Amino acid sequence: MITELFVTVLNMSITAGYVAAAVILARLFLRRVPKIFSYLLWSAVLIRLILPVSFTSGFSLLRLVQPHSNNPAGIGVMEFVPSDIALQLRPAVDAGIGGISRLINSSLPAAAQMASINPLQIILWASSIIWLTGVAVLLLYSVISYIRITARVRTATLVRENIFESDQINAPFVCGFIKPRIYIPTGMSDQELTYIVLHEQTHIRRLDYLIKPLAFLLVILHWFNPLMWLSYALMGKDMEMSCDEAVVRKLGSGIKGGYSTSLLTLATGRRGVPAGSPLAFGEGNVKSRIKNILAYRPPSPWVTVISFVLITVILAVCIVNPKPVALPESPLLYNGYHVEQLLTNRTPYIGAASKVGGLIGGTPVPEGLKAAGMELQTVAPPYGLTIKYDMNDSAGVKKDEAISGDVFYRNAIVLFSLIDNVDSITYVLTDPVGQVTYSLTDKSSPYGSASYSYTFERGQIDKLLGGDVRQYGADEAGLRQLIDRSGEMLSVNY
């Protein structure tokens, strides 16, 4: 469960990383437009970090890095790391960039065919634990930081409305989630208070006091991705600059000098890992903010319209997923076998229950039988698989007027080729009448007994085929050859 969650988060993080790279590139071309547009672009990254699925479209920017193995069923999931990678015989990721994929895949350990667990399962489990530990540490750090901040302003006095004054702080900031408050240091002039309070009120009106903690929470979940930390820092910079511009736009260009001086004086000088809150007036790259304030000019209407349209297009192509890659059509069945389903579910381990179930579902069911479940023997070698059927009609399993296991012979051979470490496969038929067990080697038991059991051993199959049956399960051509060959050998008498 933990590893599945980690793989899901990993895929979301990779997807968000590509979107973040696109946003960072787009910001370079938006340097001369109001920063509110750059700030809005980060919502695409935010959405990618929250939602693992999205709509599909032929105009998605992510088509440039679309995994070749992307979900063919049309589900809007970008799966760079396969959900079943830990159970693959030859684990492989598709990062969307060939060179990166080859570099990663060359370092992934192949499955150990005779082991009961894949080495990559251990690596993924350990990585999941490290990831959760990092999340817990950063969450604890953030909570402690917030508690310390609220403790410092506990003695703050009310100035008016939601504005409080405290001698325990050096810079104004917004704090609180339900009823946000503006805290200011003592000794501020009325002129400074006017535009600094307006700056903080802009944050509150835009719900920045909620957006920033949410963004930091998402960064915590994706702490292993350096692009997310960079995105968080740049988003904070765009957030503050857009508020600066809002103040200048409302109060006029005449305040630029005083505003810049206050910003420099009240700079927080905050260093290290950001805690996600509060929203401090002097936070961020003060030098860049002052340059932006001095250079700011209210945009003309046509610049605003063009910028809005451009931002909308960029957000749209970043939020949607590309349509699944169309796979070449292939026959659904080959002599009754779902070849594509069988190859998709090939597994080195009998313990991979979902894969084994998929393999059984890809083999034909004799007429008159109904699937009744399976049992896996995975505790210790020899590893076994028991496949159960309820028998409503014996016509499909009769040979020479008697119940026969020959009908399962071909299915067993196919399963041996696709489950690397299974040593025996047993088919059990249950009839509502009686309680007598019929053995494969005991041809004398009477027809009409309640239970019939047929066991096939890997050693017997390998001997009959003159080699390891698993070699046939490597590709579609080999599997089709095995199906044909096993059909020709149905006359073999066990």
Side-chain angles (χ1 to χ4, degrees):
M1 181 64 179
I2 295 178
T3 56
E4 292 176 359
L5 177 62
F6 177 62
V7 170
T8 299
V9 171
L10 189 58
N11 279 314
M12 293 170 63
S13 193
I14 295 172
T15 304
Y18 283 124
V19 172
V23 171
I24 292 172
L25 182 62
R27 287 175 77 253
L28 297 177
F29 297 95
L30 297 172
R31 286 176 295 180
R32 298 187 181 278
V33 302
K35 296 302 178 184
I36 185 63
F37 292 109
S38 297
Y39 180 42
L40 288 174
L41 276 180
W42 294 110
S43 60
V45 181
L46 204 68
I47 291 172
R48 284 298 183 176
L49 292 175
I50 295 175
L51 302 177
V53 299
S54 181
F55 298 106
T56 59
S57 170
F59 298 99
S60 173
L61 182 68
L62 293 170
R63 179 170 293 280
L64 299 174
V65 292
Q66 183 177 13
H68 296 299
S69 58
N70 202 31
N71 198 309
I75 301 175
V77 177
M78 296 292 288
E79 196 172 72
F80 299 95
V81 181
S83 57
D84 62 344
I85 188 172
L87 302 175
Q88 291 180 352
L89 183 62
R90 297 177 182 83
V93 303
D94 188 348
I97 300 175
I100 296 177
S101 299
R102 287 189 293 271
L103 179 63
I104 296 174
N105 293 335
S106 64
S107 63
L108 296 179
Q113 295 186 2
M114 300 310 294
S116 60
I117 189 170
N118 191 332
L120 192 57
Q121 288 179 283
I122 300 174
I123 295 174
L124 274 179
W125 180 83
S127 299
S128 302
I129 297 301
I130 294 172
W131 167 63
L132 286 177
T133 302
V135 170
V137 170
L138 288 171
L139 274 176
L140 181 62
Y141 167 81
S142 188
V143 170
I144 292 175
S145 297
Y146 187 78
I147 291 174
R148 290 177 62 185
I149 290 170
T150 54
R152 287 173 60 188
V153 296
R154 189 170 298 166
T155 58
T157 57
L158 177 65
V159 177
R160 65 174 186 269
E161 298 175 349
N162 66 333
I163 303 172
F164 290 77
E165 187 179 56
S166 174
D167 59 358
Q168 300 296 313
I169 59 176
N170 299 318
F173 60 81
V174 175
C175 189
F177 298 108
I178 299 176
K179 295 181 178 180
R181 295 178 174 183
I182 299 174
Y183 292 92
I184 59 174
T186 56
M188 293 185 63
S189 67
D190 291 340
Q191 183 182 16
E192 287 180 323
L193 191 61
T194 299
Y195 47 74
I196 289 175
V197 168
L198 181 56
H199 177 101
E200 303 303 339
Q201 286 176 338
T202 303
H203 277 311
I204 294 175
R205 187 176 65 256
R206 300 190 321 190
L207 303 180
D208 290 341
Y209 65 94
L210 296 177
I211 294 173
K212 190 174 183 183
L214 172 62
F216 187 69
L217 177 61
L218 294 173
V219 170
I220 288 177
L221 291 176
H222 299 264
W223 63 263
F224 52 85
N225 189 339
L227 261 178
M228 295 305 99
W229 290 102
L230 176 61
S231 297
Y232 180 79
L234 293 176
M235 184 207 73
K237 182 179 178 180
D238 290 338
M239 176 191 290
E240 294 300 330
M241 285 186 175
S242 63
C243 275
D244 294 337
E245 293 175 352
V247 174
V248 174
R249 186 169 60 252
K250 185 169 185 178
L251 299 182
S253 299
I255 70 163
K256 286 184 178 181
Y259 190 93
S260 300
T261 300
S262 296
L263 183 61
L264 186 61
T265 302
L266 297 171
T268 61
R270 187 178 293 179
R271 298 290 184 269
V273 180
S277 70
L279 289 163
F281 173 74
E283 187 175 10
N285 190 323
V286 174
K287 183 178 179 180
S288 297
R289 288 177 63 185
I290 291 176
K291 285 184 176 180
N292 185 67
I293 290 169
L294 297 177
Y296 175 72
R297 298 288 185 275
S300 61
W302 68 268
V303 170
T304 300
V305 171
I306 293 176
S307 299
F308 180 78
V309 172
L310 181 61
I311 294 302
T312 302
V313 172
I314 294 175
L315 286 175
V317 298
C318 286
I319 291 174
V320 299
N321 282 345
K323 289 184 177 180
V325 177
L327 299 175
E329 295 186 2
S330 58
L332 294 177
L333 294 175
Y334 183 74
N335 289 341
Y337 291 85
H338 293 269
V339 175
E340 183 177 347
Q341 178 177 338
L342 292 171
L343 291 173
T344 300
N345 288 282
R346 182 184 178 187
T347 175
Y349 306 112
I350 185 62
S354 61
K355 291 283 188 179
V356 173
L359 290 172
I360 296 173
T363 59
V365 178
E367 182 183 354
L369 301 187
K370 180 181 179 181
M374 66 179 183
E375 292 182 1
L376 307 177
Q377 169 54 43
T378 61
V379 177
Y383 300 118
L385 167 63
T386 300
I387 305 171
K388 300 179 178 181
Y389 292 101
D390 287 334
M391 187 167 58
N392 300 320
D393 187 348
S394 62
V397 290
K398 270 188 178 182
K399 182 179 179 180
D400 298 331
E401 298 302 320
I403 301 296
S404 170
D406 288 354
V407 70
F408 301 110
Y409 169 69
R410 182 191 254 180
N411 285 0
I413 292 178
V414 170
L415 292 177
F416 275 123
S417 74
L418 297 168
I419 308 174
D420 290 348
N421 72 339
V422 67
D423 298 302
S424 66
I425 298 176
T426 299
Y427 289 88
V428 175
L429 310 183
T430 300
D431 191 322
V433 182
Q435 296 294 328
V436 181
T437 299
Y438 179 76
S439 172
L440 174 66
T441 57
D442 182 8
K443 298 289 185 177
S444 60
S445 295
Y447 168 68
S449 301
S451 179
Y452 304 84
S453 175
Y454 305 91
T455 298
F456 302 87
E457 304 288 344
R458 177 177 292 279
Q460 294 173 304
I461 301 301
D462 287 346
K463 184 177 180 181
L464 285 171
L465 294 173
D468 192 339
V469 67
R470 287 172 291 203
Q471 64 183 313
Y472 291 94
D475 53 39
E476 183 175 346
L479 187 58
R480 287 173 181 267
Q481 181 183 356
L482 180 64
I483 293 172
D484 291 337
R485 186 176 177 187
S486 59
E488 297 170 356
M489 299 171 65
L490 276 177
S491 59
V492 174
N493 188 356
Y494 270 70

